[in-house]
């Protein structure tokens, strides 16, 4: 039996270069080696988007189109809609009994994300999403979870919860490992620490060529450099971080860095090259996406078939969980 992967995305918008380099590249590569479950985490997205359900509905389709466009293959792997499998909610509720309030409050990723809201806007569902994510991973008994670096505290929690369950109620869950992508955390075009749908600082996989070029033109760069002949800083400069991440020609990048440091190449020229390389990467993805946009039946089928396969496994795991806890058979 192949080992399993569970990982996923929130349907809060289309996918961007951070998702690509942080997660999707690994997902595509691992499809043959592992039995993969790719989750569209709509329950989780509702935790901070209950006032914008139309956005979640649209994004379920957007995310699926992006997945197909980067060559996730619904014949090899299962695409799963979380809320079509309510076992996710049941397991989340039960695992929540094994996590203390202070344990959750210490989670650095959660703390950072909650900081973006006013306290009265943080819902209980949002606050407990790391527990729900533990349930997502454990429900199909995943061994590996390929994710961006921001997710590591959640995987750590998942490992603790699985161990605690196994010791007290019987060996049900493998202890999953995290696998971080080639670029653990891609910065935003505004220089913020993380490119994110929620921060409006992303280059989307579906952005047309001229939008990519314009976003690169506006990109944050070395703020100390006023004239193109000033010596520039490469370290910490998002334009060079993107070149490192996405320009396949290593010599071109090192030559540009050298000239930038000496002040013999301007930002305009470096950005022109970056935009060109990004568009070369994205063009085949955009083209496949356009063709899937013409076939909504394929999107629907991918989601329904994958969800059906996953549901059967989820039901089996929940039987083991309920038996282990000795619930559901009181009389
Ligand atoms: P939101 O702002 O709604 O949380 P998001 O952009 O953070 O959206 P998620 O759906 O939360 O996207 O994350 C999906 C996966 O993509 C996770 O594994 C996450 O670690 C990874 N990821 C997201 N943004 C980045 C990034 N900038 N760099 C690397 N990986 C990323
Ligand atoms: Mg996120």
């Amino acid at each position: 039996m192949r080992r399993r992967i569970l990982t996923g995305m929130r349907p809060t918008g289309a996918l961007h270069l951070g998702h690509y380099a942080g997660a999707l590249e690994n997902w595509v590569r691992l499809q043959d080696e592992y039995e993969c479950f790719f989750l569209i985490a709509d329950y989780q997205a509702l935790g901070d988007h209950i006032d914008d359900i139309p956005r979640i509905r649209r994004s379920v389709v957007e995310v699926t189109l992006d997945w197909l466009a980067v060559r996730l293959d619904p014949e090899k792997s299962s695409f799963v809609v979380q809320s079509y499998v309510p076992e996710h909610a049941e397991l989340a509720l039960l695992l929540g009994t094994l996590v203390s309030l202070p344990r959750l409050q210490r989670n650095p990723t959660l703390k950072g994300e909650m900081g973006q809201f006013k306290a009265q806007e943080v819902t209980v569902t949002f606050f407990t999403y790391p527990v729900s994510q533990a349930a997502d991973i454990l429900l199909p008994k995943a061994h590996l979870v390929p994710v961006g670096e921001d997710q590591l505290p959640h995987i750590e929690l998942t490992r603790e919860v699985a161990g605690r369950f196994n010791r007290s109620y019987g060996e049900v869950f493998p202890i999953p490992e995290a696998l971080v992508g080639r670029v653990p955390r891609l910065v935003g075009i505004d220089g913020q620490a993380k490119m994110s749908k929620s921060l409006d600082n992303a280059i989307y996989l579906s952005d047309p060529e001229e939008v990519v070029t314009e976003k690169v033109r506006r990109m944050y760069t070395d703020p100390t450099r006023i004239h193109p002949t000033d010596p520039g800083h490469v370290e910490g400069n998002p334009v060079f971080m993107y070149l490192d991440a996405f320009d396949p020609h290593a010599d071109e990048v090192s030559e540009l860095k050298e000239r930038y440091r000496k002040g013999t190449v301007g930002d305009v020229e470096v950005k022109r090259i970056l935009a060109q390389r990004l568009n070369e990467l994205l063009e085949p993805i955009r083209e496949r996406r356009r063709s899937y946009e013409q076939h909504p039946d394929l999107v629907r089928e991918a989601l329904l078939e994958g969800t059906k396969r996953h549901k059967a496994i989820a039901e089996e795991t929940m039987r083991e969980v309920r038996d282990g806890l000795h619930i559901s058979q009181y009389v």
Side-chain angles (χ1 to χ4, degrees), residues 148-163:
E149 186 184 60
D150 61 308
Q151 299 298 306
L152 292 179
H154 305 338
I155 314 292
E156 198 43 49
L157 177 72
T158 306
R159 293 164 58 85
E160 276 175 39
V161 169

Side-chain angles (χ1 to χ4, degrees), residues 190-256:
D190 57 356
Q192 284 206 68
K194 181 172 170 267
M195 179 177 284
S196 163
K197 295 171 235 162
S198 313
L199 300 176
D200 194 23
N201 63 2
I203 295 177
Y204 292 94
L205 302 179
S206 50
D207 277 343
E209 183 174 343
E210 41 319 334
V211 173
V212 172
T213 306
E214 177 55 23
K215 284 182 177 174
V216 171
R217 206 185 57 74
R218 287 196 282 114
M219 243 176 108
Y220 180 94
T221 162
D222 177 1
T224 66
R225 198 172 192 229
I226 296 157
H227 308 289
T229 50
D230 295 344
H233 296 87
V234 164
E235 282 67 35
N237 184 331
V239 174
F240 282 96
M241 291 183 194
Y242 283 30
L243 281 168
D244 278 332
F246 300 109
D247 187 336
H249 315 284
D251 338 337
E252 176 175 80
V253 178
S254 43
E255 194 201 314
L256 278 174

Side-chain angles (χ1 to χ4, degrees), residues 56-281:
I56 292 184
R57 294 178 54 84
R58 272 196 315 277
S59 302
V60 169
V61 176
E62 295 289 317
V63 168
T64 310
L65 284 170
D66 285 327
W67 285 0
L68 292 166
V70 299
R71 291 189 193 279
L72 291 184
D73 181 348
E75 311 243 316
K76 286 186 198 160
S77 304
S78 301
F79 295 10
V80 181
V81 181
Q82 189 181 30
S83 67
Y84 291 7
V85 186
E87 283 78 1
H88 281 281
E90 184 185 2
L91 187 57
L93 178 104
L94 294 173
L95 295 182
T97 61
L98 305 180
V99 181
S100 75
L101 196 58
R103 175 67 186 85
L104 208 48
Q105 283 165 330
R106 278 201 307 274
N107 182 309
T109 296
L110 182 64
K111 257 195 206 166
E113 288 168 341
M114 289 203 308
Q116 295 167 24
F117 300 103
K118 296 193 194 95
Q120 66 269 28
E121 288 169 0
V122 177
T123 68
V124 170
T125 301
F126 185 81
F127 175 66
T128 56
Y129 93 77
V131 179
S132 139
Q133 205 164 307
D136 297 340
I137 294 166
L138 297 179
L139 195 58
K141 303 188 180 181
H143 303 92
L144 189 71
V145 194
V147 284
E149 186 184 60
D150 61 308
Q151 299 298 306
L152 292 179
H154 305 338
I155 314 292
E156 198 43 49
L157 177 72
T158 306
R159 293 164 58 85
E160 276 175 39
V161 169
R164 201 162 296 156
F165 187 97
N166 289 349
R167 283 191 298 279
S168 304
Y169 308 105
E171 282 288 325
V172 173
F173 302 116
I175 308 296
E177 305 273 346
L179 178 71
V180 174
R182 186 168 57 85
V183 180
R185 185 184 302 240
L186 186 71
V187 297
I189 54 174
D190 57 356
Q192 284 206 68
K194 181 172 170 267
M195 179 177 284
S196 163
K197 295 171 235 162
S198 313
L199 300 176
D200 194 23
N201 63 2
I203 295 177
Y204 292 94
L205 302 179
S206 50
D207 277 343
E209 183 174 343
E210 41 319 334
V211 173
V212 172
T213 306
E214 177 55 23
K215 284 182 177 174
V216 171
R217 206 185 57 74
R218 287 196 282 114
M219 243 176 108
Y220 180 94
T221 162
D222 177 1
T224 66
R225 198 172 192 229
I226 296 157
H227 308 289
T229 50
D230 295 344
H233 296 87
V234 164
E235 282 67 35
N237 184 331
V239 174
F240 282 96
M241 291 183 194
Y242 283 30
L243 281 168
D244 278 332
F246 300 109
D247 187 336
H249 315 284
D251 338 337
E252 176 175 80
V253 178
S254 43
E255 194 201 314
L256 278 174
K257 284 181 180 170
E258 202 175 313
R259 291 176 55 205
Y260 195 84
R261 287 198 184 98
K262 284 199 241 154
T264 59
V265 65
D267 282 297
V268 174
E269 173 64 3
V270 181
K271 287 179 167 180
R272 189 189 62 76
I273 292 168
L274 175 61
Q276 188 181 335
R277 295 294 173 243
L278 290 180
N279 277 317
E280 283 161 7
L281 170 76

